[in-house]
Amino acid sequence: MGILALSAIMVAGAGFYLFSKSFPNFKPGDKKIQADLKAIRKEVLDAMPDLSPLRMEDMESLSSKEIDKSVKKRVTTDQRGVFVTIFEEPAAAYYHRRYLSNNRDALLFAKTYHHEYNFWIKGDEANLVIDQLPVGVYNEKTGVLIGARSQKMIAKLDKSKPEKMAMTIQGRNVGNIVMPRPGAKDNLSQRCFDFVRNDLTKEEEAILLAIAIYEMVERTV
């Protein structure tokens, strides 16, 4: 066998080896997702700063401004950061991992003082788990959250006006998620909410924050 032929075989073999190593990152299954989620969670909890509690009366102070942001492109594309309040207080740490799928396959883990959020994103839909409890499937295009148990709509983000998206849960308006103004640098213009009800239930608060964090991260990845 000639040197050129041998080299071609070696290159082909190396290519197959690299493909086989990256295959779990091309179309990740449940086992891969659970393993990655565990590793991502540990990484966030180990590295994040002390988070300030977002009490009901403080939720309108959450902003889209980030600290400690980093992006790494390897076999996967990993982005992490910490959203702060308009008072520069760390409020929500997150880690987003995108896989090599032809379709959209990604993981998002986020942590606030009171809650942990897991999103397994497949195409336009994301399976949402809050504090280890399966909540439902969120459709990014329609803004609809379908309940895991009821299989009915439990929440909806009105995306007809991207600059101010009203969030309803079980038919009740609980707040408005706003888009940051292009080029805005002052803290007030970077707020995530322009209105939040002052009588939210714990479930409404958790879901509203989940969707708000998801929307903020997805704007930047």
Side-chain angles (χ1 to χ4, degrees), residues 36-189:
D36 282 7
L37 188 56
K38 184 177 180 180
I40 286 170
R41 179 180 183 273
K42 183 178 186 306
E43 203 166 328
V44 170
L45 296 184
D46 287 348
M48 72 181 187
D50 292 336
L51 300 176
S52 297
L54 279 173
R55 297 177 295 270
M56 197 179 305
E57 61 270 22
D58 299 324
M59 284 180 64
E60 289 184 24
S61 70
L62 180 64
S63 83
S64 60
K65 185 176 179 180
E66 295 183 55
I67 59 173
D68 300 337
K69 185 172 180 177
S70 67
V71 180
K72 294 181 180 178
K73 294 186 177 182
R74 299 169 293 191
V75 178
T76 57
T77 299
D78 293 3
Q79 177 173 310
R80 59 190 298 173
V82 179
F83 292 111
V84 299
T85 69
I86 58 174
F87 308 110
E88 306 290 335
E89 301 164 323
Y94 76 88
Y95 195 120
H96 183 278
R97 170 167 291 173
R98 184 160 188 168
Y99 298 92
L100 294 172
S101 173
N102 288 333
N103 297 314
R104 189 164 164 235
D105 278 283
L107 263 183
L108 170 60
F109 172 80
K111 176 77 173 75
T112 63
Y113 185 89
H114 291 113
H115 301 291
E116 290 186 7
Y117 303 99
N118 301 326
F119 289 90
W120 183 5
I121 304 161
K122 295 178 281 187
D124 295 327
E125 296 187 331
N127 287 285
L128 169 60
V129 175
I130 302 178
D131 300 328
Q132 300 184 358
L133 178 68
V135 174
V137 177
Y138 177 66
N139 188 297
E140 185 179 335
K141 279 193 173 179
T142 64
V144 171
L145 176 64
I146 301 295
R149 290 187 178 180
S150 67
Q151 294 299 302
K152 296 180 180 179
M153 183 176 74
I154 59 175
K156 179 176 174 59
L157 184 65
D158 184 358
K159 295 202 162 187
S160 63
K161 297 179 180 178
E163 68 279 1
K164 181 188 285 191
M165 300 180 286
M167 183 80 180
T168 56
I169 299 178
Q170 301 290 13
R172 190 169 91 120
N173 186 13
V174 296
N176 297 330
I177 299 174
V178 295
M179 294 280 285
R181 297 174 188 169
K185 294 183 179 180
D186 62 289
N187 289 343
L188 290 177
S189 297

